[in-house]
Amino acid sequence: SGDWSSDVCSSDLALMPQDIHTVSRTRTQTLFDEEQQYIAPGLQTIALLSELSISHGRGATLTDLVAQCPGRLFVTTFASNLHRLQSILEASAKAGRKVLLAGRSMQQNVQMARERGFLTPPRGLIVEAPEAVGLEASRLTVLASGCQGEPRSAMGRLAAGEYGTIRVEAGDTVILAARRIPGNERAVGTLVNT
């Protein structure tokens, strides 16, 4: 399986106990799965933030954060978390921003998800690097792979100023929209401090 959540706020991809019961009634013989950070108490803040902003419209939301960023917005998350990607795409569209996909896994996952109808960005929302370079800073979101601090990932290279003509500069905002996987604390810390 893939990314899922058991949050009580119930996103589009939330997996609740009744869903597991339904699967158990099918001809499925075995389901091996895990939820990252399942032992962490409380709600997953970033996931909850993005779900509330898009689905429920309450409180300070991802949509609000995206709209209020004065410069470019860099968001790094797991390229496989389609619900979060859709939330970021929708928030960027609402804020009048274009989106540049940075990183091979981000580009490939978004392409596959669009082809299968799992992601539905408005036409013209996603742009290529040449168009992104010419945009006003407040009109660009860069959605990058590498949220676990992988040094050669798109976000790692963006932070180090080694990703072509796009780089993180003063006045830009960076959102790390993922929890650290245990064992990656040092790599994520290095990314944040770059």
Side-chain angles (χ1 to χ4, degrees), residues 10 18 20-21 28 45 58 63-64 66 72 86 91 110 120-121 140 150-151 153-154 172 180-181 183 190 192:
S10 185
Q18 64 269 21
I20 295 171
H21 180 70
T28 303
T45 307
R58 298 185 295 226
T63 301
D64 297 334
V66 171
R72 288 176 299 182
Q86 183 68 36
V110 168
T120 55
L140 180 63
E150 303 90 337
S153 69
D172 293 340
R180 291 179 215 153
I181 293 175
T190 299
V192 169

Side-chain angles (χ1 to χ4, degrees), residues 65-73 97 136-140 170-173:
L65 292 173
V66 171
Q68 294 168 8
C69 290
R72 288 176 299 182
L73 172 63
R97 291 175 172 268
E136 182 180 329
S138 63
R139 296 289 170 227
L140 180 63
D172 293 340
T173 301

